[in-house]
Amino acid sequence: MTSTRSALAVALLGLVLVGCSAGSPTVDTVGKVTFDTPLAIPPLAESTTDATGRHTFALTAQNGTTEFTPGMRTQTSGFDGSYLGPTIVADRGDDVRIELHNALDEPTTVHWHGMHLPAAADGGPHQLVEPGARWSPEWTVDQPAATLWYHPHPHGETANQVGRGLAGMVIVRDEPEAALPLPRDYGVDDVPVIVQDARFVDGRLSSESRDYVGVLGDTLLVNGTVGPQFEVTTDVVRLRLLNASPARVYNFGIDDGRDLALIGTDGGLLERPYATPSVQLSPGERAEVLVRMAAGETARLQSRDVGLGGNGLGGANGAADRFDVLELVASAALNSVGTVPSELVPMERLDDLDATAERRFVLDGLQINQQPMDLTRIDEVVTVDATEVWNVRNNMALPHSFHVHDVQFQVLTIGGDPPPPQLDGWKDTILLHPNTDHRIIMRFTDYTDPTTPYMYHCHLLQHEDQGMMGQFVVVEPGQRAGTIDPGDTHDQH
Ligand code: C2O
Ligand code: CU
Ligand code: CU
């Protein structure tokens, strides 16, 4: 069944390349959104601390109903609630343990997107949790301060489960970040902005695919709020932008074109703020930006002029769509957060002369290197502590993306050119431009395990569900990959 569906999708992808440059109907909500609902702020996840200092967070994945607009009840899912989940905050060096309870009526997993941790704790498709069962991964947080997130990853069901609301933010803190004069009062001047697009049909969340990439909705949800308004009380506000949408690429900016200060990307802070009027995010990517506000003003976060690399794509993947996203309303008097730093954190540059392996990945026809995902096949074997260059090619005229578990990488070149400043920091997910090579570099430290793989995949959720994914293990020098027990992968559809 899966292979029939994939074959059909491949055929359709061929068609879209020939016939689609006129694009699908454009969604344009600019000027049409009524911002009358206070932005929901996900609660901070509570934890208990045991005698060894370990922090335990309990999370329950559950079904529920959500009233996105008054009087309309929608079937949704969330962690500890009916939609989305609490924000988990952890310090570098913390030992953390999660106690996940699956109260859904289907198997799920929880993946810690962007986190460096053992493969068995990663929550990929091999760490399946049956309905009613519990799962308790543990690890030590050991990476720079960053905005990460968590979401289910059961093979073939990720788009469904994330699309119903199973996602949440993770904030990692560390001493270098804490020493900087940045806004960090959660929900006050340091604000999670989880952006998803949805389409409601008779009160239900539609899962209908558009442009062969998945759901491209016409209603934006920010932290699950439709028409969100946030009251700003400081002269500078820090937004932690997370694109948790199944397929849509955004280009975020303020309606009057003022500069944002981009201070962080997927894996942490940049070396210095980058002033830019717009920040592009494909599904799974994050950005931390500072927005300067004047007392009493109203500013709108929008998404416009997405631009997916030309090639006659027209409106494919919603590239022509425009949105009003979030209204920021500044109080009549603002507290000052002080001078924004001009230097942030030093960043170690990885050097391709140090790379001991160069691998090539070609994304084409919902496959990577001409193979669909096979949960029992280990595609790549990486030696621990190796620095590797991965040359990732999108061989199609449609955009895809590329996400690697376990590591943060640096972008060396895109189409032979150095990356734009937006992609100059630590990344775990990037948009792949059509018919272009992307060279990325990373180091695989810690956590060897020859039989439990990490994933790499397109983060358009429908594509990853359809098999645009591969698996790698990290092993000791000289060690071989083991065999994945097929029992491990039962019942996943
Ligand atoms: Cu955000 Cu493999 O996923
Ligand atoms: Cu991930
Ligand atoms: Cu894709």
Side-chain angles (χ1 to χ4, degrees), residues 189 232-237 291-295 334-339:
D189 58 19
V232 176
T233 55
T234 50
D235 57 354
V236 177
V237 63
V291 185
R292 189 164 282 285
M293 297 288 292
L334 298 175
N335 299 318
S336 174
V337 304
T339 313

Side-chain angles (χ1 to χ4, degrees), residues 451-483:
T451 57
T452 311
Y454 296 102
M455 307 293 130
Y456 52 86
H457 57 88
C458 177
H459 213 289
L460 275 59
L461 301 182
Q462 178 175 293
H463 290 179
E464 77 172 86
D465 280 339
Q466 288 169 327
M468 203 165 207
M469 175 148 43
Q471 312 195 97
F472 70 97
V473 289
V474 178
V475 300
E476 298 292 337
Q479 192 179 29
R480 288 166 175 259
T483 305

Side-chain angles (χ1 to χ4, degrees), residues 297-477:
E297 74 166 335
T298 295
R300 282 184 183 173
L301 184 71
Q302 298 180 322
S303 174
R304 295 171 306 212
D305 310 323
V306 170
L308 294 175
N311 289 14
L313 270 175
N317 198 31
D321 295 352
R322 308 195 310 158
F323 291 93
D324 270 349
V325 180
L326 168 67
E327 189 167 83
L328 301 171
V329 180
S331 309
L334 298 175
N335 299 318
S336 174
V337 304
T339 313
V340 169
S342 56
E343 300 289 320
L344 297 169
V345 294
M347 182 175 157
E348 184 201 352
R349 297 281 159 178
L350 300 178
D351 185 341
D352 55 356
L353 293 176
D354 296 330
T356 49
E358 174 142 1
R359 299 175 200 262
R360 185 164 170 82
F361 299 87
V362 179
L363 283 79
D364 205 345
L366 295 176
Q367 301 183 338
I368 300 180
N369 293 343
Q370 299 184 306
Q371 288 186 300
M373 167 71 161
D374 180 342
L375 283 159
T376 63
R377 183 187 70 232
I378 292 172
D379 297 281
E380 309 292 336
V381 181
V382 173
T383 304
V384 68
D385 292 327
T387 298
E388 299 203 353
V389 171
W390 287 15
N391 190 347
V392 186
R393 177 168 181 81
N394 176 2
N395 221 22
M396 301 179 69
L398 276 183
H400 288 288
S401 76
F402 198 72
H403 168 50
V404 188
H405 288 210
D406 179 41
V407 291
Q408 293 289 332
F409 56 78
Q410 295 170 7
V411 181
L412 294 172
T413 56
I414 298 178
D417 296 324
Q422 259 202 45
L423 301 179
D424 196 35
W426 292 108
K427 295 289 296 171
D428 56 50
T429 308
I430 52 169
L431 180 70
L432 297 180
H433 292 264
N435 297 307
T436 300
D437 282 22
H438 306 69
R439 292 180 80 235
I440 61 177
I441 187 167
M442 59 219 133
R443 189 185 295 145
F444 296 85
T445 58
D446 311 311
Y447 310 133
T448 59
D449 183 338
T451 57
T452 311
Y454 296 102
M455 307 293 130
Y456 52 86
H457 57 88
C458 177
H459 213 289
L460 275 59
L461 301 182
Q462 178 175 293
H463 290 179
E464 77 172 86
D465 280 339
Q466 288 169 327
M468 203 165 207
M469 175 148 43
Q471 312 195 97
F472 70 97
V473 289
V474 178
V475 300
E476 298 292 337

Side-chain angles (χ1 to χ4, degrees), residues 27-28 82 134 164 171 173 208 327 362-363 382 412:
V27 181
D28 185 351
S82 69
R134 293 172 190 271
R164 288 201 323 253
I171 296 175
R173 301 183 304 199
E208 190 195 323
E327 189 167 83
V362 179
L363 283 79
V382 173
L412 294 172

Side-chain angles (χ1 to χ4, degrees), residues 177-232:
E177 191 274 341
L180 292 167
L182 291 171
R184 62 173 63 75
D185 192 354
Y186 181 79
V188 176
D189 58 19
D190 181 350
V191 185
V193 179
I194 304 173
V195 181
Q196 297 172 296
D197 60 331
R199 190 144 35 88
F200 293 97
V201 177
D202 301 329
R204 282 177 297 104
L205 284 166
S206 168
S207 56
E208 190 195 323
S209 178
R210 189 179 127 195
D211 292 356
Y212 318 104
V213 295
V215 174
L216 291 170
D218 53 16
T219 303
L220 285 198
L221 305 172
V222 182
N223 304 343
T225 308
V226 175
Q229 191 183 58
F230 181 76
E231 189 183 343
V232 176

Side-chain angles (χ1 to χ4, degrees), residues 253-282:
I254 303 293
D255 54 351
D256 64 5
R258 81 186 65 177
D259 275 345
L260 306 166
L262 177 71
I263 58 168
T265 56
D266 300 339
L269 295 174
L270 299 175
E271 291 178 298
R272 60 191 60 83
Y274 170 60
T276 174
S278 61
V279 174
Q280 185 191 64
L281 292 184
S282 71

Side-chain angles (χ1 to χ4, degrees), residues 93-105:
D94 280 357
D95 292 326
V96 298
R97 173 182 164 90
I98 310 284
E99 284 179 354
L100 175 75
H101 174 213
N102 180 7
L104 305 169
D105 47 22

